[in-house]
Amino acid sequence: STAWNNYLQQLKRVEPFLDESIRDRLDFLRHPKRSLIVDIPVEMDDGSIQHFEGFRVQHSLARGPGKGGVRFHPNVDLNEVMALSAWMTIKCAALNLPFGGAKGGVRVDPSKLSKRELERLTRRYAAEINLIIGPQKDIPAPDVGTTPQIMAWMMDTFSMNAGNTITGVVTGKPVHLGGSLGRARATGRGVFVTGSEVAKNIGLDVKTAKVCVQGFGNVGSEAALLFHEHGSKVVCVQDHSATLYQENGIDIPKLMAYQQQNKGSIQGFSSSDEIEKDQFWNIAAEIFIPAALENVITEEIARNIQTKLILEGANGPTLASAEDILMSRDITVVPDVICNAGGVTVSYFEWVQDLASYFWTEDEINQRMDKIMREAISDVWQKASQNQCSLRTAAYILACERILIARIERGIYPG
Ligand code: GLU
C-alpha cells in the first residue's frame, strides 16, 4: 500500500459524515492542484556530476498559500510527496491556519553528502522550485532529513534571486535569521500537549505510563523528553540504527547527549539493552509514539499491539485498515494531522513574525501554541463523540468542511 492510497482510504471514511452539499466536492481533495518534478544536477566534491530527483506538490491552495516541509530521504517519490502534501492541507485546515497544503522532497540520502554537496543540492533544488514558492505562494519548512541550516540556504537562494532579503519564504529557519523561538521543539511539544489531553479523556495517567518511541529525531526526541520530564517511563526508543530497551525507563536527557556525540545515532548507549528491531511493537506499554516514517502500523501490528494510546508524531504511520482494527480494540489514535501540528502552528507564527518584522517571546509562542492545540484536540474529541467515529475521521470532517466550503464560495474558474 502506498501513502497516497492510504490518504484516499482515510478520505473515504469521511464521506458518510459530510453534508450532501459538500460531499460531491470531495473529489477536489483527491486531485493535487499542482505537481512539479525537477532534475537537480549537483557537482560532487570529486568533480563528478550526479543527478537527483526533486518534487514540490501543492495539493490545495483553496484557503491560502501552500505550506509544508521538504523531505530529503532515499525513498522520496511523487506518490509519497502527494500524500504528504494532502496531509498538510488537512492539517492546516483542522488547526484553522490560513494555509493550503504543500510538500517537497528530494530523493537523496543526505548523510552520504558532504556539507558543501548538501548546500549545492539544496540551492539548486530551491532555484528549480523558485517559480512556485514565495511568502504569498507556498512556504517550505523542515521535514525528515532537513534542518534549520538547509532552510537558511533556501531562504538565501530565493532572496539572492529576488535581489532582497525575503525571510518569509520558508519557516524553520535559524532564530537569528528570522526564525521563531520555540519552532525547533514545537512538533514534539505538540505531541505531548495533545497526547496528555487525550490521555486525560481516556483516564490514562501520564505519570505512571510506559512509553515506546519510534524515531529519535526532531519530533521523537522532544516528545520522549517531555513525557520523561512528566514522570512517564520511556521504556523503548528505536531509531534507524538500534532499538533500546530499559524496563525502568531510559534516561532521555542522557540519551540525547549521547546521540549528539555519536553522529546522530543512538546505537551503543550503555544505560539500556539493545533488542531486536522487530520486538519494538511487541512491548506492552500504555503509549506508543511512531515518530519516524509512514505505513509502519500494519493490520498485523494493529491486531497484536498491547497499548491504549497511539500518538502519531510521524505523518501517515497508520494504515487505514489497521486503524479500523485498533478502533475495534478500543485503542485510541491521536492522528498526525492534529498530533504533530505543533510544528506547522509555530511555522505559522514564524511567517506572521517575518511579515510583521516583529518578534514574540518564547513564552508568548508556547502559550499561543498550547491554546490552539488544546482547542483543536477538544473540538476533534467532541466531533468524534458526536459521530461515534475515530479522532482522525473527526479531524477530517472539520478540515473538509472548511476547505470545501471555501472551495464552493470561490467557484470554478473560468465560471
Ligand atoms: N514538516 C512538518 C509537518 O509535516 C512541518 C511543516 C511546516 O512547518 O510547514 O507538519
Side-chain angles (χ1 to χ4, degrees):
S1 178
T2 64
W4 177 252
N5 192 47
N6 195 32
Y7 162 72
L8 291 180
Q9 288 189 38
Q10 293 170 344
L11 211 54
K12 200 179 221 147
R13 282 164 176 69
V14 186
E15 217 170 318
F17 298 101
L18 295 178
D19 192 81
E20 240 176 281
S21 59
I22 58 171
R23 194 186 303 152
D24 64 342
R25 308 296 175 103
L26 206 56
D27 272 350
F28 271 101
L29 296 173
R30 297 188 173 107
H31 300 274
K33 177 187 175 60
R34 186 179 285 149
S35 308
L36 180 61
I37 307 179
V38 299
D39 170 44
I40 307 166
V42 178
E43 189 175 336
M44 308 304 280
D45 291 346
D46 66 4
S48 68
I49 294 171
Q50 266 187 41
H51 290 259
F52 298 89
E53 197 174 16
F55 308 88
R56 185 73 188 174
V57 176
Q58 295 170 345
H59 174 262
S60 167
L61 304 178
R63 304 179 74 252
K67 188 85 196 79
V70 174
R71 178 170 296 195
F72 286 0
H73 191 277
N75 295 343
V76 163
D77 60 18
L78 180 61
N79 182 295
E80 183 188 44
V81 179
M82 277 164 58
L84 292 164
S85 71
W87 286 322
M88 289 310 302
T89 301
I90 303 288
K91 195 184 296 184
C92 291
L95 272 285
N96 211 3
L97 307 178
F99 292 129
K103 201 84 173 199
V106 178
R107 191 175 178 86
V108 60
D109 183 348
S111 71
K112 297 219 167 94
L113 300 185
S114 71
K115 191 174 178 191
R116 289 282 295 123
E117 289 167 342
L118 187 62
E119 177 173 354
R120 284 196 287 266
L121 173 98
T122 301
R123 288 186 182 278
R124 183 60 185 255
Y125 171 67
E128 291 295 339
I129 64 165
N130 182 61
L131 267 175
I132 64 165
I133 64 169
Q136 304 301 339
K137 292 174 158 183
D138 180 3
I139 305 114
D143 194 73
V144 175
T146 55
T147 58
Q149 172 64 76
I150 289 173
M151 296 306 113
W153 289 328
M154 288 190 68
M155 186 279 272
D156 183 71
T157 304
F158 188 82
S159 298
M160 293 312 286
N161 279 293
N164 51 78
T165 298
I166 304 171
T167 53
V169 64
V170 288
T171 60
K173 299 179 297 295
V175 254
H176 31 268
L177 256 188
S180 178
L181 295 168
R183 174 62 185 89
R185 304 174 71 182
T187 312
R189 197 184 151 80
V191 171
F192 177 75
V193 170
T194 56
S196 316
E197 289 294 313
V198 173
K200 241 188 282 165
N201 293 350
I202 63 170
L204 177 68
D205 188 359
V206 164
K207 285 198 280 306
T208 58
K210 287 187 188 170
V211 180
C212 295
V213 183
Q214 182 186 53
F216 207 63
N218 175 266
V219 182
S221 64
E222 182 65 24
L225 180 65
L226 288 169
F227 276 99
H228 172 84
E229 285 173 355
H230 286 80
S232 311
K233 277 195 187 109
V234 182
V235 292
C236 190
V237 173
Q238 177 175 76
D239 78 350
H240 56 92
S241 67
T243 305
L244 306 178
Y245 182 79
Q246 167 57 255
E247 204 186 333
N248 301 317
I250 296 171
D251 185 335
I252 298 298
K254 206 168 147 191
L255 180 58
M256 288 171 89
Y258 176 80
Q259 184 195 35
Q260 274 242 314
Q261 45 91 33
N262 196 228
K263 296 187 194 117
S265 139
I266 61 172
Q267 190 172 38
F269 183 61
S270 58
S271 317
S272 60
D273 298 324
E274 206 169 313
I275 60 168
E276 272 302 308
K277 193 175 163 204
D278 299 339
Q279 288 308 309
F280 180 81
W281 301 105
N282 295 335
I283 296 165
E286 285 78 13
I287 302 176
F288 269 79
I289 309 179
L293 295 168
E294 56 270 15
N295 296 349
V296 294
I297 302 184
T298 58
E299 290 177 40
E300 193 189 330
I301 289 174
R303 271 192 290 272
N304 296 312
I305 193 169
Q306 294 304 317
T307 193
K308 297 208 162 67
L309 184 58
I310 295 176
L311 308 179
E312 292 188 337
N315 289 309
T318 311
L319 294 176
S321 52
E323 188 165 18
D324 296 341
I325 296 168
L326 293 170
M327 223 184 138
S328 72
R329 296 185 57 209
D330 215 19
I331 296 169
T332 305
V333 179
V334 184
D336 48 10
V337 293
I338 297 291
C339 194
N340 70 31
V344 73
T345 299
V346 178
S347 273
Y348 167 54
F349 298 160
E350 180 171 334
W351 178 76
V352 167
Q353 291 172 86
D354 287 344
L355 296 189
S357 295
Y358 178 81
F359 291 86
W360 314 347
T361 65
E362 189 158 0
D363 272 352
E364 273 176 284
I365 286 155
N366 288 339
Q367 275 170 31
R368 287 185 202 224
M369 173 184 129
D370 288 4
K371 185 168 183 287
I372 290 180
M373 301 281 295
R374 285 218 182 84
E375 284 173 6
I377 191 67
S378 144
D379 290 351
V380 167
W381 183 268
Q382 263 191 357
K383 196 81 178 173
S385 312
Q386 276 166 18
N387 290 304
Q388 293 296 306
C389 65
S390 68
L391 294 176
R392 184 181 329 271
T393 296
Y396 274 53
I397 296 172
L398 291 167
C400 289
E401 282 172 359
R402 290 187 182 129
I403 300 157
L404 295 178
I405 287 169
R407 199 52 266 175
I408 289 164
E409 285 169 347
R410 287 182 64 156
I412 308 281
Y413 174 87

